[in-house]
Amino acid sequence: MKITITNIGQEFNTTAAWRIIAQILGKKNSVIGLSTGRTTGGIHAAVADVYKKFPFDASQVTVFNLDELTNVPREYFGGCYTMIRNEICIPMGIPEENIIMPPTISDNFEEEGRLFEERIMQRGGIDLQVLGIGENGHLGFNQPGTPFERTTWLSVMDTPLEERVRRETQSPKDANLGGLTLGIKNIMQSRKIVLVANGARKADIIKAALLGPVTVDVPASVLQLHPDCEAILDVEAAAGILLVLQQNKH
Ligand code: GLP
C-alpha cells in the first residue's frame, strides 16, 4: 500500500481532492465511489473549490456513496445521498441520472442492494473508491467481524452514529435504523482505492489496519491485500505508524 502523509488541515483535503479530480480528468466517464462523514466533507469542498475556479467537464462522471442510511428520510441532511449531492454533485454539475444510490426506505433492501451493485456494474464497475475509516476499523457499514467475501448487504450502524441519527431525525424507538453498504468484496473489486484519515482519534486504528494482521476484526486491514490502494493520512492520524517506522529505523 502506498502511504502519503500530509500536514493537518487544508493540505490533507487538497491532497485527497486531487486524487478525485485527477481520476475525472484522466477518464471523463469514471465511476467514483465516495464516502461521507467528517473526514470527507473537507475533501469534497476542496474538489468543489477547484472546480469552481478551474471548471472541467464532470458531466459524464458517475458517482455513488458506498453506503446509505436506512429507514430515515432521504432528504435528511446526514443521509449519504443528500450529502454527496450537496457536497459534490450540485457544485460540479453532475447530472441526477449519474448519481447511483439506493433508496433510504424500502421493504426489500436485499433487492435494493442487488440493484445498486448491478447499476454500478452497468456503468463499468468502480474506477476509484474513496474510503473513510471508522474508529473501530469499519469500512462503510462493514463492522468488525464482517466476512471479507460479503457483497452489498444491510448492516447495523455503530452505536454513536445510531444515537446521532435518532436524535437528528427524531426517529421513533421502533424504527429499525441500519446501513445498506457495499460489502468488502465489492470494495476490493475497485480498480483503485484511496483511504483517507485525519486527526489523532484515528491514529490507533490506522496503525492496526495498515501494519497489523489482516483480520476481519479490523475490516480496513483487508486493504493491505489490494493491488492499487493509497492511504492519505494527516500527521495526526499517521502518528502511530510513524512511531513504528522510526523505531524500525534504529
Ligand atoms: C461512518 C460511515 C463511513 C465513514 C466512517 C468515518 O459511519 N458509514 O462510510 O467513512 O464512518 O466517518 P468520519 O469521517 O466522520 O470519521
Side-chain angles (χ1 to χ4, degrees):
M1 186 185 308
K2 182 181 174 195
I3 299 175
T4 301
I5 299 173
T6 75
N7 286 314
I8 57 169
Q10 195 53 41
E11 185 179 307
F12 169 78
N13 292 330
T14 309
T15 305
W18 275 99
R19 301 301 186 271
I20 297 174
I21 295 164
Q23 177 63 45
I24 302 172
L25 294 177
K27 184 181 174 192
K28 276 182 196 268
N29 62 349
S30 287
V31 177
I32 301 181
L34 300 169
S35 288
T36 48
R38 289 158 290 183
T39 314
T40 50
I43 296 170
H44 296 167
V47 173
D49 280 352
V50 171
Y51 178 85
K52 195 170 170 196
K53 187 139 194 229
F54 307 108
F56 51 89
D57 180 13
S59 66
Q60 297 172 48
V61 180
T62 294
V63 294
F64 64 89
N65 200 67
L66 94 153
D67 52 14
E68 181 56 287
L69 310 179
T70 56
N71 293 328
V72 297
R74 199 179 205 196
E75 298 70 30
Y76 162 49
F77 62 83
C80 301
Y81 164 78
T82 298
M83 286 178 84
I84 63 163
R85 191 165 175 269
N86 292 341
E87 293 174 6
I88 287 261
C89 302
I90 293 175
M92 296 179 72
I94 297 174
E96 190 64 32
E97 64 267 25
N98 286 3
I99 308 174
I100 296 180
M101 279 299 280
T104 53
I105 294 178
S106 166
D107 51 17
N108 189 350
F109 280 114
E110 202 176 315
E111 175 65 1
E112 297 299 348
R114 202 190 58 71
L115 284 172
F116 184 41
E117 271 181 20
E118 194 176 283
R119 292 171 70 205
I120 293 169
M121 291 319 287
Q122 279 165 357
R123 303 271 175 132
I126 307 168
D127 290 305
L128 170 67
Q129 177 65 59
V130 180
L131 294 172
I133 182 172
E135 280 155 61
N136 62 359
H138 72 231
L139 294 177
F141 283 115
N142 296 288
Q143 301 293 353
T146 307
F148 288 159
E149 58 275 16
R150 232 338 122 65
T151 53
T152 306
W153 66 301
L154 183 59
S155 176
V156 294
M157 297 177 188
D158 55 24
T159 312
L161 178 63
E162 179 167 349
E163 280 169 0
R164 197 172 91 205
V165 174
R166 282 195 187 279
R167 207 172 42 244
E168 291 174 353
T169 58
Q170 277 124 44
S171 298
K173 281 199 175 61
D174 58 346
N176 204 1
L177 304 187
L180 190 74
T181 183
L182 287 190
I184 301 286
K185 185 171 176 182
N186 310 105
I187 292 170
M188 290 298 280
Q189 285 168 344
S190 311
R191 294 184 188 97
K192 189 189 285 273
I193 294 177
V194 170
L195 174 74
V196 291
N198 60 4
R201 70 195 169 93
K202 298 282 173 75
D204 288 344
I205 196 64
I206 282 295
K207 182 177 157 195
L210 271 54
L211 301 183
V214 175
T215 163
V216 294
D217 297 334
V218 181
S221 66
V222 74
L223 300 175
Q224 293 179 34
L225 306 178
H226 193 278
D228 189 357
C229 179
E230 178 185 12
I232 299 179
L233 315 169
D234 77 356
V235 280
E236 289 184 344
I241 59 169
L242 282 172
L243 211 60
V244 174
L245 297 176
Q246 273 158 12
Q247 279 163 357
N248 287 351
K249 257 201 227 161
H250 300 301

